[in-house]
Amino acid sequence: MNNYCAFSKKHKCLKWMDYELTRMELEEADSLCHENWIEIQRLYKRIDILETLLNDAGIEIPHTYLD
């Protein structure tokens, strides 16, 4: 796809602007999703450590919190 349009006075393609906006939105969404996934993984590791500590201390984790 290119930014040239023979039917426009300024020869700017409107679809190109849509393409650029969509591409930027997808890049931003990808970045946010990636950062969120990193945070989720960090929290899962923390949960695993806390559950291990509770189990080692003989404290039972209620099943209502495990579902």
Side-chain angles (χ1 to χ4, degrees):
M1 180 179 277
N2 58 33
N3 193 17
Y4 178 79
C5 179
F7 303 105
S8 171
K9 289 181 182 180
K10 295 182 181 180
H11 300 290
K12 298 258 183 194
C13 180
L14 295 177
K15 288 184 180 181
W16 180 260
M17 291 175 13
D18 287 343
Y19 166 78
E20 287 289 313
L21 287 173
T22 303
R23 186 183 57 79
M24 287 189 284
E25 288 174 353
L26 287 173
E27 286 176 0
E28 182 180 4
D30 182 54
S31 173
L32 291 173
C33 287
H34 181 70
E35 291 169 15
N36 286 344
W37 181 244
I38 290 171
E39 178 70 12
I40 290 168
Q41 288 177 321
R42 187 185 68 78
L43 291 172
Y44 274 137
K45 287 178 185 176
R46 186 173 179 177
I47 290 168
D48 289 340
I49 291 169
L50 292 172
E51 285 180 348
T52 301
L53 289 172
L54 288 172
N55 288 332
D56 291 347
I59 301 171
E60 185 177 330
I61 302 168
H63 291 290
T64 56
Y65 296 111
L66 296 177
D67 294 333

